[in-house]
Amino acid sequence: MKTKLNGFLTLFIALLVQISFAQERLVSGIVTDVSNQPLPGVNVLVKGTNIGTQTDFEGKFSIKASSTETLVFNFIGMKSQEIVASSTTFSITMKDDAIELEGLVVTALGIKRKPNEITTATQLVKSSELNQAKATNAAVGLVGKVSGLQINTVNNGVNPDTRIQLRGFRSITGDNEALIVINGVISTSGAFAELNPEIIESVNVMKGSNGAALYGSRGSNGVIIVTTKRGTKDAEKFKITLNTTFTAEEASMFPILQSRFGQGYQGAQDFTENTSWGAELDGSLQPTGLQQTLLPYSFIKDNYKPFFTDGNTLLNSVAISSGDENSYLNFTLGNQKTEGIIPGDKFTKNNFYISTGKKIGKWSFNANATYTTTNQNTAGGVEGSIYGSLVQIPVNVPVQLFSNPDNATHWTYWELSPYWKLKNERISNKGQTFEGVGELNYEFNKNISATYRASYRSTSFNRVEFFNGYKTDVVYWDSPFDYVSSYEVGNTNSRNLYADLLVNFNYDLTKDITLKANVGNNVTNAEFNSLSVKGEKLVIPGLYNISNITGNALPSDFKSRQRSYSYFANVDLGYKDYLYLNLTARKDWTSVIKKPFFYPSVGVSFIPTTAFADFGGETLTFAKLSASFVKVGNSVVGPYDINDRFVSATSAGFPFLINSFNQTTSIADQNLIPETNTSIEFNMNLEFYKKRVTFDASYFRSKNSDQIIEISPSTTSGANLATVNVGETISQGVEFDLGVTAIKTENFTWDFRFGYSAPKTEVTKVTDESNQVAVGQYLGTAGIAAIKGEQFPMLVGTGYQRDDNGNVVIDTSTGDPLKATNVKLGKTTPDYILGLTTNIRYKNLKLTGVFDYRTGHVFYAGVKDGLIQNGSDIVTAQNGREPFIFPNSVIETSPGVFTQNTSVTTSGNQDYFTGIYREIDENFVLDATAFKCREIALSYSFSDKIVKKLHVDGLSLGLNARNVFMILPKQNRNYTDPEFSFTTGNNVGLSTGAQAPPTRTYGFNINITF
């Protein structure tokens, strides 16, 4: 019996083994891309197991799997695929992950189109590329990655401002920044900066004016379309992603100073001075500062560097997502804490983001909401900047020895201590922003659908600034320096409503002709309120309340509202998947201008590689040619500009104790029309050797006429300024992008992308009476102007008087160079920008770098002006502060006759530099050429084998650095980053000492997915 039982068990085990072998059999196949080319190095894994393999150089694979098991195919840059191993042979085609939304690209108004259908130049930046160096600001993450896109950091600090511009300038006085669209809704650059970059799925950059055809005048400067993440539709469970990034920040650039003369005035050492106009440095012990501490009278390199601390930023985000074929959910929390390089400067930001969607029958609903809070607290900015105080330190004074925050122990009597300012001069900004977007879709049938999209955005910011007064205890040189305390509080609020109604059509008219159309309506409403009150002389020090001031408070109250509505249509006709025609039209009615305005566009796209068999052979695998024409109106007018307005007449001496008003002396033409921008664009997109080499080229030209400019009217009108339609500019340029995958093997890939852009804007008309108009605020006599026949923006100011050969003319009676007013000192936008992005991957290790080079422009260095005033700049010591013959100078020997100057000397002393030298703006206009390493990032993604052992779905680590190094011309002695500017407006190229020094950051990050 026992023998029979053993035999039965043996037979049973053999049967189980036989069944097992019958279930697990060899599965083989080949994996190719969309061009039918084999893909080596594709990971093939039996789902839920550690069994896996890779495709060989011919794209072939073989693996053991049962008929019920699922094979998972993964390859970098391709969309993952899962296939049940029901057969023993497979042919798998993997799709490029660069084409978002299942091969569709989000264009204007959220309309989705295939890349071949798009008739204008666009460039897509994916989330992985945007976040590779973990920039805290999404705009900063775009720098150097899109040709034609110029992003300048306006100032540095814990929450830097940026200026986003596409293809140069068009308008002289209007806004030239690109339009920001987030999830199909018009937004702002501020909202873009507030977004947590981790929630961004992709950024589609529409470079030309074509975006304006459907977005209205605000899209005439190009459009940046931001799409945030949604939940995954194929998730079997909640997906949780944790991301933490820590970066350290350091000041990276300090001006190179003269090392010959120290603290003093008019050549004598003076312990009270904030200048380096003293005697020559000799290393002797000299009294220094108001306490007359004995210190070596010697040069100290970067002597105010110890004032700055190492800043840091901690970024944390948690994302939870899930979904299925009919619904999705994504919830993300983000937190940023930044401590700046100026001690005590802090910035915190909290983001709450949720997106959800559901499809029920013919109805579908999508919604997302973002709530952001910010809190910024910085020193300086009320009576002056911290950096402006620091550049006044003499070259022999060690800043760290005067860190006591007491002006009585400061190194100088003539300027407040920056250490004192850290606590006694501060600005605090607290804000909160809410934005909600809802979208409702209904499919009438397979050809017709309707979409209603609406958004509500509200902001609220509270600003508090105070300056504690200071009264000097000891008076030097009979000049008491007393500072009056002040306090100001203000609130700004905005509310914006936006709504689109679209009816969408999608028909196959014939076997070869397709029709896609969208008609719709848009309504917007924008409201803004601002209220502030300011007073001086706090009664109780440290009590910051407006009731604590002495005297009258100065209130300011402003309210505005702007409304518009529009009708638009978009038509796309396609023929045999290789010829496409796009037509658009839009008409706007706006409350800021009386008459409505209409603008159309037309574009065509042709794909010869599809149209003709074997076109290009095996070399040229894809080619696309496109062209477009757009005419758009740009309403460069604010609310109430065309209305009669009144201002307070309190200062006019109204004789009664009641308030009074005067009509403003600034008027506008009641029949103003929008600026008209007419543009054409030609594009070519080529792919060689199965996308191993890509080349994109664009040419654009636009004419911006009827520009809205302020002029000086006749005095008989009673007005000082009048706003009229007169100016005209012509902008044109080219863009080239070359992408190369130099190496592509199973374990190693190396690709890079070169970008070249060269926009140029020329002023062809200013006004009927004048060939020049000032733009924005000037820095003394230096500023930006629009000049007929010249490129815009043009930096103008006081320059040297020169003869016909360019030699400086010297006044023989004084020895000083002669001045000339309103001199063209150079344009402030580059001739061209070269960009390079490179990616190197070895197995799971990836290295990326972003570089760019800009040249052919200038900038005004306000920091140098401050250093000249204080005798710290190298120029002030080059001739030993002795008389010298001005280089390449001439004297006028008779009217109109100039001879080389060989004997007349310029004094070269303190009065010369603080006088005539500083009065000539040309001395502070420098070459803005710069080569920058924008970012470097190194990341490692752990293999599936290790990840499973750690019981997580994904794990990656990364190192990153931003602004790693910068190469500047010799004449820019590390004064500042030439991109810095004191405004986000059209005054590009004017920097001041109000900006903190440039910085670089180093950091690491960890990303875990469960």
Side-chain angles (χ1 to χ4, degrees):
M1 183 69 181
K2 184 177 180 180
T3 303
K4 290 183 179 180
L5 180 60
N6 289 338
F8 178 76
L9 290 175
T10 302
L11 182 63
F12 180 71
I13 292 172
L15 181 61
L16 288 178
V17 172
Q18 181 68 24
I19 294 173
S20 176
F21 276 111
Q23 288 180 331
E24 189 179 78
R25 74 272 200 254
L26 193 66
V27 178
S28 61
I30 185 172
V31 181
T32 61
D33 60 16
V34 291
S35 302
N36 202 32
Q37 296 301 306
L39 283 175
V42 177
N43 292 315
V44 185
L45 183 71
V46 179
K47 190 173 183 179
T49 72
N50 292 326
I51 301 173
T53 186
Q54 284 189 335
T55 58
D56 60 19
F57 286 98
E58 296 180 350
K60 296 179 180 179
F61 72 94
S62 61
I63 191 171
K64 288 185 178 181
S66 69
S67 59
T68 59
E69 289 181 311
T70 300
L71 300 181
V72 182
F73 297 83
N74 288 298
F75 189 71
I76 294 177
M78 300 288 183
K79 291 185 176 181
S80 299
Q81 285 197 44
E82 294 187 6
I83 296 177
V84 177
S86 57
S87 176
T88 57
T89 58
F90 286 95
S91 179
I92 309 298
T93 300
M94 300 195 73
K95 296 181 180 180
D96 194 337
D97 196 29
I99 301 177
E100 300 290 332
L101 303 176
E102 299 179 357
L104 301 180
V105 176
V106 178
T107 62
L109 298 174
I111 297 172
K112 302 169 186 175
R113 292 290 182 262
K114 296 179 181 178
N116 289 354
E117 296 177 281
I118 300 174
T119 62
T120 185
T122 65
Q123 188 170 332
L124 191 70
V125 179
K126 296 183 293 182
S127 176
S128 57
E129 185 178 2
L130 181 73
N131 290 295
Q132 62 191 15
K134 301 300 177 183
T136 59
N137 184 316
V140 175
L142 282 175
V143 174
K145 297 170 184 174
V146 178
S147 62
L149 177 62
Q150 186 171 351
I151 299 178
N152 286 359
T153 300
V154 174
N155 58 50
N156 214 13
V158 290
N159 185 28
D161 294 326
T162 55
R163 189 176 191 281
I164 306 172
Q165 188 172 325
L166 280 162
R167 291 182 170 176
F169 287 81
R170 296 169 180 82
S171 178
I172 294 175
T173 60
D175 185 8
N176 284 285
E177 289 198 76
L179 176 67
I180 306 296
V181 175
I182 301 175
N183 292 323
V185 174
I186 288 178
S187 193
T188 65
S189 57
F192 189 36
E194 287 179 350
L195 274 184
N196 178 2
E198 294 292 337
I199 72 172
I200 296 176
E201 179 68 33
S202 65
V203 178
N204 185 31
V205 181
M206 299 181 66
K207 300 180 181 180
S209 299
N210 299 67
L214 288 179
Y215 277 122
S217 63
R218 285 172 287 185
S220 61
N221 299 318
V223 184
I224 295 178
I225 300 174
V226 181
T227 303
T228 57
K229 293 179 180 179
R230 297 181 175 184
T232 53
K233 291 185 178 181
D234 56 351
E236 297 179 352
K237 61 178 182 179
F238 278 101
K239 179 180 179 182
I240 303 175
T241 301
L242 306 177
N243 193 295
T244 295
T245 301
F246 176 83
T247 59
E249 183 179 25
E250 65 178 9
S252 61
M253 182 187 298
F254 294 99
I256 302 172
L257 307 179
Q258 60 89 8
S259 58
R260 188 170 176 181
F261 300 92
Q263 183 180 28
Y265 196 75
Q266 294 292 2
Q269 197 273 342
D270 186 339
F271 65 87
T272 67
E273 273 299 328
N274 62 332
T275 68
S276 298
W277 290 113
E280 288 200 51
L281 298 166
D282 57 10
S284 63
L285 293 177
Q286 296 291 337
T288 307
L290 302 187
Q291 290 189 322
Q292 302 189 48
T293 304
L294 290 177
L295 296 174
Y297 195 54
S298 304
F299 173 74
I300 304 173
K301 184 180 178 180
D302 296 338
N303 60 325
Y304 53 84
K305 183 178 181 179
F307 174 85
F308 297 98
T309 185
D310 289 335
N312 63 80
T313 295
L314 180 63
L315 293 169
N316 291 300
S317 68
V318 180
I320 303 173
S321 61
S322 185
D324 54 33
E325 289 298 321
N326 296 313
S327 61
Y328 66 88
L329 172 68
N330 186 301
F331 178 67
T332 303
L333 297 175
N335 171 261
Q336 173 186 342
K337 291 184 178 181
T338 297
E339 295 183 359
I341 61 171
I342 295 177
D345 281 12
K346 295 182 180 180
F347 175 75
T348 60
K349 179 171 66 175
N350 296 291
N351 296 98
F352 305 87
Y353 169 77
I354 185 171
S355 66
T356 184
K358 182 71 175 179
K359 183 176 182 180
I360 304 175
K362 294 185 177 183
W363 292 91
S364 63
F365 171 77
N366 301 287
N368 63 80
T370 305
Y371 177 69
T372 304
T373 64
T374 59
N375 188 349
Q376 178 176 325
N377 193 297
T378 56
V382 182
E383 295 291 325
S385 72
I386 293 290
Y387 195 45
S389 297
L390 282 170
V391 296
Q392 298 183 42
I393 185 171
V395 299
N396 62 288
V397 176
V399 66
Q400 66 272 23
L401 295 185
F402 297 87
S403 59
N404 186 356
D406 182 358
N407 289 308
T409 61
H410 189 27
W411 63 69
T412 181
Y413 173 69
W414 307 101
E415 172 67 18
L416 292 172
S417 166
Y419 290 100
W420 180 86
K421 285 187 172 185
L422 291 178
K423 293 185 177 181
N424 293 278
E425 182 182 5
R426 302 200 68 85
I427 297 177
S428 173
N429 277 292
K430 293 183 179 180
Q432 56 182 345
T433 302
F434 172 81
E435 183 165 17
V437 180
E439 183 179 289
L440 185 65
N441 301 278
Y442 181 75
E443 296 180 2
F444 294 96
N445 52 50
K446 67 177 183 178
N447 304 114
I448 304 175
S449 65
T451 301
Y452 181 75
R453 182 185 302 113
S455 78
Y456 172 80
R457 173 179 170 83
S458 67
T459 66
S460 175
F461 291 92
N462 174 262
R463 177 184 175 94
V464 175
E465 60 179 56
F466 65 82
F467 176 77
N468 290 328
Y470 177 73
K471 184 176 179 63
T472 56
D473 296 326
V474 180
V475 177
Y476 295 88
W477 312 112
D478 296 325
S479 299
F481 269 68
D482 294 337
Y483 296 85
V484 177
S485 60
S486 65
Y487 173 72
E488 182 176 2
V489 60
N491 294 280
T492 60
N493 299 276
S494 69
R495 186 180 71 164
N496 294 275
L497 300 173
Y498 179 97
D500 284 323
L501 175 63
L502 290 87
V503 180
N504 313 298
F505 303 89
N506 190 344
Y507 282 95
D508 292 331
L509 300 181
T510 68
K511 183 178 68 174
D512 298 327
I513 301 176
T514 60
L515 168 68
K516 296 178 181 178
N518 315 87
V519 294
N521 162 256
N522 171 260
V523 177
T524 63
N525 180 85
E527 299 177 24
F528 178 81
N529 302 308
S530 174
L531 179 65
S532 66
V533 60
K534 181 178 181 179
E536 293 185 339
K537 297 182 180 180
L538 295 171
V539 179
I540 302 174
L543 177 58
Y544 305 115
N545 190 289
I546 204 66
S547 62
N548 188 40
I549 66 167
T550 303
N552 296 324
L554 300 176
S556 175
D557 189 2
F558 177 80
K559 298 180 179 67
S560 72
R561 185 183 184 188
Q562 180 175 341
R563 293 177 293 170
S564 67
Y565 67 93
S566 312
Y567 293 98
F568 52 83
N570 175 74
V571 176
D572 288 287
L573 290 169
Y575 178 71
K576 288 189 174 181
D577 294 330
Y578 65 76
L579 183 63
Y580 298 94
L581 175 68
N582 173 257
L583 301 169
T584 71
R586 176 168 173 141
K587 191 168 186 177
D588 277 2
W589 288 260
T590 176
S591 61
V592 299
I593 288 181
K594 290 183 177 180
K595 297 181 180 180
F597 42 104
F598 171 80
Y599 31 90
S601 79
V602 58
V604 63
S605 171
F606 175 61
I607 297 89
T609 47
T610 304
F612 307 109
D614 297 325
F615 184 88
E618 295 184 359
T619 302
L620 179 64
T621 51
F622 176 80
K624 173 185 171 183
L625 303 174
S626 60
S628 62
F629 167 85
V630 181
K631 184 177 182 180
V632 59
N634 188 10
S635 55
V636 187
V637 181
Y640 321 117
D641 280 358
I642 63 173
N643 303 104
D644 292 331
R645 291 167 294 161
F646 293 82
V647 295
S648 175
T650 304
S651 61
F654 197 68
F656 303 103
L657 297 177
I658 58 175
N659 202 0
S660 57
F661 297 90
N662 281 343
Q663 186 169 1
T664 178
T665 55
S666 298
I667 61 175
D669 185 350
Q670 299 290 305
N671 297 309
L672 276 177
I673 61 174
E675 297 181 356
T676 302
N677 185 304
T678 304
S679 66
I680 57 172
E681 179 183 330
F682 300 96
N683 307 292
M684 177 174 64
N685 308 94
L686 305 176
E687 295 177 4
F688 301 90
Y689 305 107
K690 289 115 179 135
K691 295 186 70 174
R692 291 290 293 269
V693 179
T694 62
F695 180 73
D696 303 320
S698 298
Y699 168 79
F700 57 90
R701 187 179 191 275
S702 64
K703 180 180 180 180
N704 210 33
S705 55
D706 294 321
Q707 297 218 19
I708 299 174
I709 294 177
E710 287 186 339
I711 64 172
S712 298
S714 169
T715 55
T716 59
S717 66
N720 294 330
L721 293 172
T723 304
V724 295
N725 291 107
V726 282
E728 181 180 278
T729 61
I730 292 179
S731 301
Q732 58 184 330
V734 294
E735 295 162 353
F736 302 109
D737 287 279
L738 174 65
V740 177
T741 300
I743 301 174
K744 186 176 182 180
T745 67
E746 180 179 352
N747 294 320
F748 186 80
T749 59
W750 177 33
D751 61 75
F752 51 85
R753 183 182 182 92
F754 290 102
Y756 171 88
S757 61
K760 173 184 176 182
T761 298
E762 181 181 343
V763 180
T764 54
K765 180 182 179 182
V766 180
T767 72
D768 295 330
E769 294 79 21
S770 174
N771 291 328
Q772 179 173 331
V773 64
V775 177
Q777 180 182 352
Y778 272 41
L779 297 177
T781 54
I784 298 299
I787 305 174
K788 181 179 179 181
E790 300 290 343
Q791 291 192 48
F792 177 79
M794 179 63 65
L795 179 58
V796 298
T798 304
Y800 288 100
Q801 188 178 127
R802 301 176 185 270
D803 66 5
D804 294 338
N805 296 319
N807 299 308
V808 174
V809 181
I810 299 297
D811 185 342
T812 56
S813 63
T814 64
D816 291 332
L818 295 175
K819 296 183 296 183
T821 59
N822 197 36
V823 176
K824 292 177 284 189
L825 300 176
K827 64 184 181 68
T828 59
T829 53
D831 286 342
Y832 61 87
I833 301 176
L834 284 173
L836 168 64
T837 301
T838 184
N839 298 276
I840 301 174
R841 179 193 65 84
Y842 176 70
K843 292 186 178 180
N844 295 336
L845 188 67
K846 185 178 181 181
L847 176 66
T848 63
V850 179
F851 309 83
D852 69 20
Y853 174 75
R854 309 181 184 198
T855 191
H857 57 314
V858 299
F859 78 107
Y860 178 89
V863 172
K864 180 182 178 182
D865 178 56
L867 295 174
I868 291 291
Q869 171 68 22
N870 296 297
S872 300
D873 192 84
I874 286 180
V875 174
T876 66
Q878 283 179 338
N879 295 288
R881 297 180 177 173
E882 298 292 336
F884 66 97
I885 295 177
F886 200 98
N888 301 317
S889 62
V890 296
I891 57 176
E892 189 172 19
T893 55
S894 60
V897 178
F898 299 92
T899 60
Q900 184 178 358
N901 176 27
T902 59
S903 58
V904 179
T905 59
T906 300
S907 68
N909 58 19
Q910 177 178 340
D911 293 338
Y912 163 73
F913 284 105
T914 58
I916 187 68
Y917 189 94
R918 288 191 66 228
E919 293 171 0
I920 299 177
D921 300 316
E922 185 177 339
N923 291 316
F924 309 102
V925 177
L926 308 177
D927 185 354
T929 297
F931 175 76
K932 296 185 176 183
C933 176
R934 297 284 186 176
E935 61 183 46
I936 292 178
L938 179 68
S939 62
Y940 181 80
S941 299
F942 288 86
S943 65
D944 292 340
K945 184 178 180 180
I946 296 177
V947 164
K948 289 187 179 297
K949 289 183 178 180
L950 297 174
H951 303 290
V952 297
D953 292 338
L955 174 63
S956 64
L957 301 175
L959 301 173
N960 59 78
R962 300 192 59 83
N963 300 322
V964 185
F965 64 85
M966 187 186 316
I967 300 176
L968 302 172
K970 290 184 178 180
Q971 64 176 254
N972 183 356
R973 300 185 181 95
N974 288 351
Y975 293 117
T976 190
D977 187 331
E979 287 184 24
F980 284 9
S981 180
F982 80 106
T983 175
T984 58
N986 293 344
N987 290 35
V988 177
L990 297 174
S991 70
T992 69
Q995 287 87 37
T999 61
R1000 68 172 59 93
T1001 63
Y1002 307 94
F1004 67 88
N1005 69 283
I1006 179 171
N1007 187 289
I1008 305 175
T1009 303
F1010 297 92

